[in-house]
Amino acid sequence: RLLELNEEILFLHDISDDELIELYRKANLFLFPSKYEGFGIPVLEAIQQNCKIILSNIDVFKEITNNKLTYFDKTSSEDLTFHILNSLSKKVNPNSNYSMSKDTLDNFTPKKISSQIINIYNSCVV
């Protein structure tokens, strides 16, 4: 059944990097409901722009964020609804686990990632 949300949801295409950054900056919440991800670059982008963040409880998201954010049961619309309403509540402590320090991004610099890849390749050449 279609939810007929055309008036509430805006699908954007071909936006520039600057427009994307502005969307993150203006967002009240970054929500990433996924059952599977290979990595999750948008999560890092949201952290960079200081978004409130809610992620589905898949391992890759917990690994990227050192298990420090709010995660919802990917099979539960009730859990997702609770976390959305809670994160947007004015009663939420600003230091709650809906946001993350940009220090996390230090783990994903091009230099650090390339070094790790080189180490993996070197370990395979025995």
Side-chain angles (χ1 to χ4, degrees):
R1 179 187 109 163
L2 294 176
L3 297 178
E4 298 178 12
L5 296 174
N6 293 342
E7 298 296 319
E8 287 83 16
I9 297 176
L10 179 62
F11 292 95
L12 303 175
H13 304 279
D14 301 321
I15 61 172
S16 70
D17 289 344
D18 290 338
E19 290 170 318
L20 180 60
I21 289 169
E22 193 63 21
L23 288 169
Y24 279 118
R25 285 186 181 154
K26 290 183 176 181
N28 293 322
L29 174 67
F30 175 79
L31 172 64
F32 204 148
S34 181
K35 291 183 178 182
Y36 174 83
E37 290 297 322
F39 183 69
I41 295 292
V43 176
L44 299 178
E45 293 171 336
I47 292 169
Q48 179 68 36
Q49 300 307 321
N50 296 314
C51 292
K52 282 185 182 179
I53 300 171
I54 301 175
L55 305 170
S56 50
N57 62 349
I58 59 176
D59 291 341
V60 69
F61 289 162
K62 291 179 177 185
E63 182 178 341
I64 292 170
T65 61
N66 298 317
N67 205 25
K68 292 181 180 176
L69 285 177
T70 294
Y71 310 93
F72 66 93
D73 178 346
K74 63 184 180 259
T75 63
S76 171
S77 59
E78 292 84 7
D79 194 36
L80 173 58
T81 301
F82 168 80
H83 286 297
I84 290 171
L85 294 175
N86 191 50
S87 73
L88 297 175
S89 163
K90 298 205 183 312
K91 299 174 189 173
V92 171
N93 178 337
N95 297 321
S96 70
N97 59 340
Y98 290 108
S99 61
M100 179 154 227
S101 165
K102 288 184 182 180
D103 295 344
T104 300
L105 301 175
D106 293 341
N107 295 324
F108 303 101
T109 64
K111 184 176 182 175
K112 189 165 189 173
I113 292 171
S114 62
S115 174
Q116 291 172 345
I117 291 170
I118 290 168
N119 289 338
I120 291 169
Y121 284 135
N122 287 335
S123 71
C124 294
V125 181
V126 178

